[in-house]
Structures are given as structure tokens and as C-alpha cells.
Amino acid sequence: MTLAGEMRAGTPGLPWLVFLHGFSGDCREWQDVGARLPDYPRLYLDLPGHGNAQDIAVSGFSDVHQWLKATLLSYNILNYWLVGYSLGGRIAMYHACQQPDGLAGLIVEGAHPGLSDAAERTARWQSDSRWALRFRDEPLETVFNAWYQQPVFASLTDSQRGELVTLRRQNSGPALGAMLMATSLAEQPDLRRALSARAYPFYYLYGDRDDKFAALAAELNAERHVIPNAGHNAHRENPVAVAASLAQILRLRIKDTP
């Protein structure tokens, strides 16, 4: 019961950096950023329904948490920071709120802590259900061309949208649709209270052109890092700045970092 992933060696004694990608991404998504942090051992995972884990089906956040927990144990990762973007950030926050052994810190980028309003949950479920049907029934290129027209991706250029569509159409549509429903924001608990009561350090990154998630970040008891010249997908749009933020966070938190 383990997720597929790619490992990179680092300096013995330093904590692992465990990277979780966003919806329709895979283990390659964070590697440009991670390569700029070569001292740290790194694990880039494929989430269920994605990459080499696309045959893994889950029923909800608790299921994904168990897969992640088992995967970390299988790699003997006993001291780690979780770094997650969007869907990966939501999974990272849920996992952290279960108070797992070995978690040293949490870093998320552009991730929603959860909906607190019942009407918003209903609307989100209806929206995700429509998207899931499209992922199941339509050519992925068609769906992703529409997906990246959503307001949250407004900062993307036409060229950037085209690159993402080309990259994402390699997925399995039915697997993506199933994962979208299993991890819908409508199904996610509101994690604000648990995150506020945490014992681990918590950092939130967002692009300076990502107004929606800037507002969400302000609601959280987390140290915020604004990534310049970036929208929602900040680590893709400005990997140098995101890596610099991670390096700064880790230097401050890890006393024995060379």
C-alpha cells in the first residue's frame, strides 16, 4: 500500500522534503524547485489517480492520508516537511491535522483550508460533479482547454495554458474524475481550527497575482510568503523565488543546516 514516487538523496541527518503535486500533475511537478535544494533528501510522490499511481482509487481524504502514511513508513521517512500545491496542499493540511509522527513542518502553496458554508459546499459539489463527468467522457485536451480558463488561472498567458494542456492530457480522464470527486473541496473538512491549534510550523505561499488565495492565506494562522511575478501556480511560474522561500524557511527552522 504505497504511492509511486521518485527519491533524491541529500545530506544525512537533514529532514526529508516530501512534495505533493496539484490536481492533474505528477511527481515531476516540484522537481525544478526541489533541485534547487540539493542538501535535503527529497521524495516526489504521485497522488492517487495520477502518474504511476493512476490505478489507485480512494474514497476520500482519510483514504489518501492512510496511503501517504504507509508510503512514508515504507521509505523509512521519520522526520519530514510536507510541501504541497493546491490539491496537494489540501492533502498535506489534512494529513498534518491528523498529527502524524515525524512531521517537522508544513508548507503549502495556493491551497484551500476548507469551506465553512453549507451553500458553498453544495455549489462546489455540483461544479466538481460537472467537471468529473467531462473528465470521464470528453477528450482531455478539450477539458483542460476549458479548465485553464477558470478565473483562478487568469494570470496564465496563452502560451502557458497551451503548455499545461499538452502536459496534462497525458493523464487518464476517468482516474482524474474519480479523484476530483473523492477529494472535492465539498468533501474536505474545514481545517482552520485544527491548523490554528497545531504544534508544528506552518507556512503559506501564494503568487502576488493570486488574489483569491491571498485572501484565504490571511484567514490562517500561518507565516505567509508572497511569490513575485506569479499567479496560482507559483512554483511553475517562478520556481527560483519559491525555492528561495523554502530555503529561507528551512534555514530558520533547522539549526544544524550547513
Side-chain angles (χ1 to χ4, degrees):
M1 184 178 174
T2 60
L3 299 170
E6 294 187 13
M7 297 175 63
R8 300 290 186 271
T11 302
L14 290 181
W16 283 81
L17 305 182
V18 179
F19 292 95
L20 305 181
H21 60 77
F23 178 73
S24 75
D26 58 32
C27 67
R28 298 170 293 175
E29 185 170 295
W30 277 103
Q31 290 182 19
D32 192 6
V33 170
R36 301 171 192 273
L37 301 162
D39 289 340
Y40 296 91
R42 302 168 311 279
L43 176 63
Y44 308 97
L45 290 176
D46 284 329
L47 292 173
H50 297 75
N52 289 322
Q54 68 178 233
D55 293 335
I56 296 175
V58 293
S59 59
F61 282 88
S62 179
D63 237 7
V64 182
H65 163 67
Q66 293 301 329
W67 276 97
L68 178 55
K69 185 177 176 181
T71 300
L72 295 174
L73 186 61
S74 74
Y75 282 105
N76 198 33
I77 293 176
L78 306 176
N79 179 25
Y80 64 99
W81 282 71
L82 267 183
V83 185
Y85 160 66
S86 196
L87 170 61
R90 296 196 286 121
I91 290 168
M93 288 188 289
Y94 181 91
H95 176 80
C97 288
Q98 312 313 306
Q99 303 181 45
D101 292 337
L103 178 66
L106 173 65
I107 303 171
V108 302
E109 175 197 327
H112 204 302
L115 298 171
S116 55
D117 180 80
E120 289 181 348
R121 285 185 179 275
T122 298
R124 181 57 180 251
W125 181 257
Q126 292 171 344
S127 174
D128 284 349
S129 297
R130 289 191 293 270
W131 279 113
L133 285 173
R134 294 193 66 180
F135 278 113
R136 188 190 68 188
D137 295 337
E138 297 179 31
L140 280 183
E141 184 168 359
T142 301
V143 184
F144 278 120
N145 273 317
W147 179 265
Y148 286 113
Q149 295 297 328
Q150 294 181 94
V152 72
F153 299 114
S155 68
L156 294 175
T157 65
D158 289 342
S159 175
Q160 289 171 326
R161 284 192 180 88
E163 290 174 5
L164 284 167
V165 170
T166 299
L167 191 62
R168 302 310 195 215
R169 68 186 181 190
Q170 310 303 317
N171 283 283
S172 160
L176 287 183
M179 184 62 171
L180 181 61
M181 297 310 295
T183 56
S184 170
L185 188 57
E187 292 289 282
Q188 177 185 315
D190 182 354
L191 301 173
R192 289 173 179 80
R193 181 176 296 179
L195 289 167
S196 183
R198 71 189 185 278
Y200 46 84
F202 177 29
Y203 295 84
Y204 195 105
L205 282 58
Y206 59 90
D208 63 353
R209 298 197 295 265
D210 191 356
D211 294 340
K212 175 181 177 179
F213 284 88
L216 284 168
E219 299 178 16
L220 299 174
N221 179 22
E223 182 172 320
R224 303 191 293 276
H225 284 238
V226 183
I227 307 303
N229 304 312
H232 183 57
N233 198 334
H235 68 277
R236 182 177 177 84
E237 296 174 51
N238 196 344
V240 174
V242 170
S245 285
L246 298 187
Q248 179 186 26
I249 290 166
L250 294 165
R251 277 197 304 269
L252 288 172
R253 284 289 178 174
I254 302 168
K255 304 302 183 184
D256 59 347
T257 302

